[in-house]
Amino acid sequence: MNIAIITGASSGMGRETARRIDEIYTDKLSEIWLVARRESRLQELAASLKHKTRIFALDLTDEKAVSEFDLTLNLVNPNVKILVNASGFGVMGKFTDVYAKEHAGVVRLNCEALTKVTHMVLSYMRRGARIIQFASSAAFMPQPGFAVYAASKAYVLSFSRALNEELKDRGISVTAVCPGPVDTEFFDIAEKNGTNFHFKKKFMAKQEDVVNRALIDAYHRKDISVYSPAMILFFVITKILPHKFIMFFLKFFK
Ligand SMILES: NC(=O)c1ccc[n+]([C@@H]2O[C@H](COP(=O)([O-])OP(=O)(O)OC[C@H]3O[C@@H](n4cnc5c(N)ncnc54)[C@H](OP(=O)(O)O)[C@@H]3O)[C@@H](O)[C@H]2O)c1
């Protein structure tokens, strides 16, 4: 049975990716598996898709829930054509202004859960399969005021690019998606402590455009997907200029 697995499918770019995969992979998939905590949202999405779906309303930071998901994979033994890891969050604010528990939660979901899910699902992937990992342009350099989130996404980017190389022999590609700010529910959580990056929001992209670019880049088996000229320019600048200098300069653009 050929399937797609999408985490973070209850909102934003995960949900948009599920919708696009539903349209694009018309004859290639038997089922689309949707993962996130909010069951009603997943049901709403499932009802709007043409493909048969399975809903996994679970917290990816809960080891027991993840083990149960692993068990289902084991029982069904599917052929996973595409895995999309879109579950993720961040909390803005100075490091000491945010609870340690929240920082740990970011690392657990963005790094640990993504790594576990990728490892688990890879056992069910064959030649030609694709993995899409939602990193961020925050991965390109350290971000004071969003330090743990940026570090977690630097992990996702580094891990994904290395894994892409490792999996070449198996004919499986990994694309790290690195958008700048995207208009989703992400900011409801990111700004909950009152910190707001007005400057960043000037570069706000639409989720449809970011997801389209990501799917095209994954189709071409690119290791990294960066949407919009502004973010491509930011990527290049972070490769050329010392990060210390950029961090100093960005202090004046909040
Ligand atoms: N929006 C941006 O500006 C932006 C920019 C660059 C990168 N990104 C990254 O892109 C990805 C998608 O973000 P988005 O913008 O689409 O944000 P979003 O709308 O807030 O979506 C985040 C998704 O993660 C799921 N999630 C959160 N905690 C979870 C948990 N413990 N277990 C399982 N699922 C969980 C949420 O579902 P439930 O709440 O139902 O569990 C939701 O479906 C994230 O990795 C984010 O870091 C976002």
Side-chain angles (χ1 to χ4, degrees):
M1 178 171 61
N2 293 341
I3 68 161
I5 299 177
I6 299 141
T7 77
S10 63
S11 74
M13 291 185 276
R15 182 171 58 192
E16 183 60 25
T17 310
R19 286 180 181 143
R20 294 291 291 130
I21 286 176
D22 183 56
E23 286 167 11
I24 298 165
Y25 281 71
T26 33
D27 302 327
K28 298 186 189 111
L29 298 174
S30 314
E31 288 184 8
I32 299 178
W33 291 15
L34 307 169
V35 184
R37 291 167 305 179
R38 286 169 292 177
E39 190 167 10
S40 57
R41 288 285 199 94
L42 295 177
Q43 277 166 348
E44 227 172 83
L45 172 65
S48 72
L49 302 182
K50 294 182 215 88
H51 282 87
K52 201 174 160 206
T53 52
R54 273 189 212 212
I55 286 170
F56 296 87
L58 59 87
D59 183 340
L60 284 169
T61 62
D62 176 352
E63 277 191 32
K64 198 167 155 255
V66 174
S67 300
E68 280 166 19
F69 181 66
D70 194 18
L71 198 67
T72 309
L73 277 169
N74 205 276
L75 288 171
V76 179
N77 193 22
N79 175 22
V80 183
K81 301 284 276 184
I82 182 157
L83 165 67
V84 181
N85 273 309
S87 281
F89 81 104
V91 183
M92 290 174 182
K94 282 189 179 162
F95 179 69
T96 48
D97 290 348
V98 176
Y99 290 120
K101 202 174 133 195
E102 288 185 315
H103 287 315
V106 169
V107 176
R108 283 222 314 278
L109 182 65
N110 297 4
C111 306
E112 194 183 318
L114 176 136
T115 308
K116 272 190 195 164
V117 170
T118 305
H119 195 277
M120 208 179 272
V121 173
L122 260 170
S123 314
Y124 303 90
M125 294 186 122
R126 298 186 199 148
R127 187 162 284 280
R130 290 177 171 81
I131 300 174
I132 296 179
Q133 311 281 38
F134 274 85
S136 167
S137 62
F140 300 158
M141 58 169 278
Q143 289 211 3
F146 213 9
V148 173
Y149 177 75
S152 77
K153 293 301 182 177
Y155 170 91
V156 176
L157 178 58
S158 172
F159 162 60
S160 303
R161 295 184 91 177
L163 186 63
N164 183 55
E165 284 303 311
E166 278 189 27
L167 293 175
K168 279 198 169 140
D169 288 351
R170 282 179 62 184
I172 299 170
S173 58
V174 185
T175 303
V177 183
C178 298
V182 187
D183 195 6
T184 68
E185 291 169 28
F186 178 82
F187 287 96
D188 297 350
I189 297 166
E191 293 178 340
K192 70 181 183 155
N193 290 341
T195 312
N196 185 318
F197 285 103
H198 296 287
F199 176 66
K200 274 189 188 173
K201 285 187 169 173
K202 291 191 197 308
F203 301 96
M204 194 74 102
K206 286 189 197 148
Q207 57 183 18
E208 295 85 350
D209 297 333
V210 174
V211 168
N212 262 339
R213 180 77 261 155
L215 287 168
I216 291 167
D217 289 337
Y219 175 79
H220 292 295
R221 303 197 180 279
K222 289 194 178 169
D223 66 340
I224 177 163
S225 174
V226 184
Y227 171 77
S228 92
M231 285 310 127
I232 293 168
L233 181 66
F234 179 55
F235 181 53
V236 173
I237 289 172
T238 58
K239 291 275 169 208
I240 300 170
L241 295 178
H243 290 175
K244 230 179 180 178
F245 172 78
I246 308 171
M247 280 192 276
F248 172 78
F249 185 72
L250 283 176
K251 266 197 229 164
F252 303 102
F253 296 90
K254 288 247 162 144

